[in-house]
Amino acid sequence: MADRSKDPVVVIGLGRFGTALALELTRRGNEVLAIDHRPKVTQHLAGQITQIATADATDMEALQQLGVPDFSRAVVGIGGDLEASILTASLLVELEIDSIWAKAISRQHGRILDRLGVHHVVFPEHDMGERVAHLVSGRMLDYMQVDDDFALVKTRPPKEYVGVPLGRTNLRRKYGVTIVAVKTREEQFTYADAETVLSYDDTILVSGRTEQVERFSEL
C-alpha cells in the first residue's frame, strides 16, 4: 500500500500559514508545489521548497499550466483576500482535487468555503488562541482539540492518583477520562495500562470529553 503521507501537495498562498506549511511538508519529504502571486515572496523561498511558482491562482489557465490538476491534495493558505481565497477554492473544486484544505479567517468565511465543496476548513488563528487559552488558564502542559467535544491533554498526575495502580482508581467512571500514556524522567511516552503506577514528576496524556479533561487537569 502506498504511503499517502508522501503524496505531492500544492500550497497556494505563502503568507505565514502557507509558508510554514509548505516548508514543513518539504522537510517531511512531500513533493510540494507552492504558488503565490508576489514575486518577492517566491524568490525569497526559492530553493527551500520542492517547486515554487509566481502565478495568479484565481486564473484557471495558470493552474492548469502549472499542473495543479495532477495533484491529489491542495491547500489554500490565502487569508487576507477573501475574494481570492473563495475563487481559488472554487477552481480547485472544479478541478476535482481529491482533498482540498483551506484556511478561513472567520466563521462566515469558513461556511462559504464549506458550501463550495472544500473538504477541510481550518481556522489557524482561532484554534491557536483557544489552545493557548487552555494552557494559560490551568495546569495543562499541552492541549489538542481532537473533535468538537473531545480533547487530548498533556499534564501532571493529580496527587490522589500518585502511587496507585490505574486499574484501582476508577478514573474513567469518576471523571470520564482515560490516561492513555505516561512519560517518566528516564523514559519516553509508553502506553498506560491497569498496572501503571504514576509518580509526581510523570507527564501523562489524558483523553476525554473537553469539559471532563479540563476538570481533571485542574485537580
Side-chain angles (χ1 to χ4, degrees):
M1 182 179 293
D3 181 2
R4 289 189 57 81
S5 65
K6 301 302 181 184
D7 281 358
V9 182
V10 58
V11 178
I12 301 173
L14 297 175
R16 284 180 296 178
F17 172 75
T19 296
L21 178 65
L23 289 172
E24 179 62 17
L25 286 169
T26 300
R27 187 189 70 80
R28 289 170 174 262
N30 292 81
E31 179 184 344
V32 177
L33 168 61
I35 302 172
D36 196 280
H37 69 282
R38 297 165 295 179
K40 286 186 178 180
V41 172
T42 56
Q43 288 168 12
H44 175 71
L45 291 169
Q48 301 180 60
I49 299 170
T50 318
Q51 297 175 265
I52 193 160
T54 306
D56 178 5
T58 66
D59 182 343
M60 175 64 89
E61 185 176 347
L63 295 181
Q64 291 173 329
Q65 288 178 348
L66 289 170
V68 172
D70 297 330
F71 285 76
S72 59
R73 299 184 183 188
V75 181
V76 181
I78 303 168
D81 187 337
L82 294 185
E83 182 179 359
S85 167
I86 293 165
L87 284 173
T88 299
S90 67
L91 292 180
L92 294 175
V93 172
E94 187 175 339
L95 289 171
E96 299 182 342
I97 305 298
D98 292 342
S99 182
I100 304 171
W101 297 70
K103 169 186 175 180
I105 60 172
S106 68
R107 292 297 174 188
Q108 183 179 18
H109 183 197
R111 284 195 292 271
I112 293 171
L113 292 170
D114 185 62
R115 288 169 184 168
L116 284 173
V118 169
H119 306 106
H120 309 278
V121 178
V122 295
F123 299 84
E125 287 83 1
H126 173 272
D127 293 346
M128 181 55 71
E130 185 178 74
R131 177 170 174 263
V132 172
H134 280 92
L135 301 181
V136 169
S137 64
R139 296 175 58 250
M140 300 179 192
L141 302 174
D142 207 348
Y143 173 91
M144 182 175 69
Q145 192 78 29
V146 179
D147 207 342
D148 289 341
D149 189 32
F150 199 87
L152 184 67
V153 168
K154 181 164 74 171
T155 187
R156 299 291 186 191
K159 292 181 180 179
E160 64 181 286
Y161 294 107
V162 170
V164 182
L166 290 177
R168 291 166 47 193
T169 61
N170 294 318
L171 188 62
R172 188 176 299 178
R173 186 172 64 185
K174 189 173 182 180
Y175 291 101
V177 302
T178 301
I179 296 177
V180 296
V182 181
K183 179 181 179 181
T184 66
R185 283 187 175 181
E186 295 79 19
E187 300 178 357
Q188 297 300 312
F189 274 108
T190 57
Y191 290 112
D193 57 31
E195 303 303 317
T196 299
V197 177
L198 303 177
S199 300
Y200 286 107
D201 56 357
D202 286 347
T203 301
I204 58 175
L205 292 182
V206 185
S207 65
R209 298 293 179 188
T210 303
E211 182 179 348
Q212 293 169 321
V213 294
E214 288 175 347
R215 185 165 62 248
F216 178 78
S217 69
E218 293 169 0
L219 294 177

